[in-house]
């Protein structure tokens, strides 16, 4: 009878337990530091978040290390950018993790994707993404879309903490909304100005700020530029008096710096992700840095 009573108690207790993650911290793995920063802001003490790619690393190219597989093996949730940004390494990690309970969330769903190619896409065109440009986190307005989906998934996995996650989501959105208004006021005088970039990763930023992207140092994405193309773009910069050449902090600066010197423009090295440079620890820090670097150059 004692054993029977114990079994009945355990059955009743388990029936009312909301889910297997009740009472413990969610283990969250993200592919990039930007997603990690948002997840940490939303999850607070109820989550433990680790990013695979580093902030000063090109997220297209990450080694599929066994240590990352072990990380995913112990994780409850995987957040990734999608749009095939991680196509070269993430499937290998997920397969190697052997974690059937891992929940995955593609955060590109719900994003208004830019530069979705028409027609056939081949490797001869360079590093073209068939589903569109994946660098959508560089428009802070997309932070709302990502945050709401992450918070919704947190609440699904740990419903007892739902009010806590909702409160943190509201605080995140309130702060981000105020800061976006500030950044837009600061950048308003420069709307319509022409810029160039090294790689096709600043389109969402330019679209948000109303800047006109006139060309790229890479004539084909992901492929070093040909000398003829560099010469043509240099002439364009000189003729149109373009003030800024945008380069991410993980790009080798040799070619863009040489081109900048010849063309008489300013090479602006920007963090493309959270932790892409010292002091950029949060999602808002990322845009504080970008705006503060762009303003004196565009002036």
């Amino acid at each position: 009878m004692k054993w029977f009573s114990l079994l009945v108690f355990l059955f009743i207790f388990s029936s009312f337990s909301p889910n297997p993650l009740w009472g413990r911290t969610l283990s969250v793995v993200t592919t990039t530091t930007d997603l990690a920063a948002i997840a940490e802001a939303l999850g607070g003490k109820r989550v433990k978040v680790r990013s695979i790619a580093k902030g000063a690393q090109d997220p297209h190219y990450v080694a599929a290390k066994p240590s990352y597989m072990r990380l995913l093996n112990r994780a409850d949730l995987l957040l990734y950018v999608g749009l095939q940004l991680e196509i070269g390494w993430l499937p290998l990690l997920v397969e190697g993790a052997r974690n059937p309970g891992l929940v995955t969330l593609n955060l590109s769903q719900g994003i208004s994707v830019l530069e979705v190619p028409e027609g056939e896409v081949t490797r001869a065109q360079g590093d073209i993404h068939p589903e569109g440009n994946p660098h959508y986190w560089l428009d802070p307005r997309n932070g709302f879309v990502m945050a709401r989906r992450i918070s919704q998934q947190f609440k699904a996995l740990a419903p007892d903490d739902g009010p806590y996650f909702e409160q943190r989501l509201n605080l995140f959105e309130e702060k981000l909304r105020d800061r976006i208004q500030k950044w837009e006021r600061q950048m308003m005088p420069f709307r319509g100005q022409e810029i160039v970039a090294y790689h096709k990763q600043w389109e969402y930023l330019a679209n948000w700020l109303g800047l006109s992207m006139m060309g790229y140092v890479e004539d084909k994405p992901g492929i070093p530029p040909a000398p003829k193309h560099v010469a043509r773009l240099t002439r364009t910069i000189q003729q149109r008096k373009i003030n800024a050449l945008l380069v991410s902090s993980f790009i080798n600066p040799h070619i863009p710096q040489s081109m900048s010197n010849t063309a008489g423009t300013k090479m602006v090295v920007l963090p493309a992700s959270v932790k892409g440079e010292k002091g950029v620890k949060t999602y808002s820090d990322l845009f504080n840095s970008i705006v503060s670097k762009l303003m004196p150059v565009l002036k």
Side-chain angles (χ1 to χ4, degrees):
M1 287 298 294
K2 289 182 179 179
W3 281 106
F4 178 77
S5 299
L6 178 60
L7 288 172
V8 170
F9 171 80
L10 290 175
F11 174 78
I12 293 173
F13 180 81
S14 64
S15 298
F16 285 95
S17 182
N19 67 52
L21 300 178
W22 179 82
R24 70 174 177 85
T25 301
L26 289 177
S27 176
V28 181
V29 174
T30 69
T31 55
T32 71
T33 51
D34 309 283
L35 303 186
I38 296 173
E40 287 172 346
L42 298 174
K45 296 183 292 185
R46 304 295 200 274
V47 301
K48 183 176 183 180
V49 185
R50 283 156 292 193
S51 172
I52 293 175
K54 311 304 179 190
Q57 180 179 15
D58 188 339
H60 292 88
Y61 309 108
V62 174
K65 298 179 181 179
S67 59
Y68 299 149
M69 296 178 189
R70 290 192 293 271
L71 200 62
L72 288 171
N73 175 261
R74 298 187 291 268
D76 301 309
L77 176 63
L78 167 65
L79 306 176
Y80 65 104
V81 173
L83 300 179
Q84 299 194 18
L85 177 77
E86 307 101 336
I87 191 66
W89 52 274
L90 188 58
L92 297 173
L93 294 181
V94 172
E95 182 180 1
R98 299 173 184 256
N99 182 356
L102 180 66
V103 177
T104 63
L105 189 63
N106 180 350
L107 288 167
S108 68
Q109 294 174 7
I111 298 292
S112 296
V113 180
L114 302 180
E115 299 187 327
V116 179
E118 298 180 0
E120 184 181 4
V121 175
T122 69
R123 294 303 300 172
Q125 298 168 284
D127 187 16
I128 300 291
H129 292 275
E131 298 176 11
N133 192 308
H135 301 278
Y136 57 82
W137 68 86
L138 286 166
D139 180 340
R141 296 173 299 184
N142 288 331
F144 296 111
V145 181
M146 293 184 284
R148 288 165 190 165
R149 295 197 64 227
I150 293 171
S151 183
Q152 183 181 27
Q153 189 63 69
F154 283 174
K155 287 184 283 188
L157 289 171
D160 280 3
D161 290 326
Y164 176 80
F165 294 137
E166 188 67 26
Q167 181 184 35
R168 295 191 70 87
L169 172 64
N170 292 337
L171 182 61
F172 175 86
E173 290 189 330
E174 180 182 349
K175 288 182 177 180
L176 182 59
R177 190 175 293 110
D178 290 344
R179 286 163 182 167
I180 287 176
Q181 291 174 355
K182 174 187 174 183
W183 297 323
E184 289 179 348
R185 285 196 304 269
Q186 291 175 311
M187 294 297 293
M188 181 63 72
F190 315 116
R191 295 187 72 85
Q193 283 205 27
E194 296 177 340
I195 59 174
V196 295
Y198 185 85
H199 179 68
K200 290 176 72 68
Q201 67 186 135
W202 302 106
E203 287 65 33
Y204 290 91
L205 180 76
N207 180 65
W208 165 50
L209 295 176
L211 302 174
S212 179
M213 190 69 71
M214 295 304 298
Y216 306 90
V217 177
E218 293 179 336
D219 46 343
K220 295 181 179 180
I223 298 176
K228 287 184 179 180
H229 171 74
V230 171
R232 282 195 300 269
L233 185 58
T234 299
R235 288 194 296 271
T236 298
I237 293 171
Q238 292 171 326
Q239 292 165 0
R240 302 184 74 91
K241 296 181 171 57
I242 295 173
N243 291 332
L245 191 168
L246 308 190
V247 178
S248 70
S249 55
F250 57 74
I251 294 293
N252 186 326
H254 176 71
I255 293 176
Q257 184 64 73
S258 175
M259 185 176 180
S260 173
N261 294 340
T262 302
T265 190
K266 176 70 174 179
M267 183 180 78
V268 188
V269 180
L270 301 176
S273 285
V274 173
K275 298 184 179 179
E277 68 177 22
K278 188 176 180 180
V280 177
K281 299 178 180 178
T282 69
Y283 192 56
S284 291
D285 288 344
L286 176 63
F287 297 99
N288 280 334
S289 176
I290 289 173
V291 169
S292 68
K293 290 175 184 290
L294 284 176
M295 285 177 61
V297 175
L298 296 179
K299 283 181 178 178

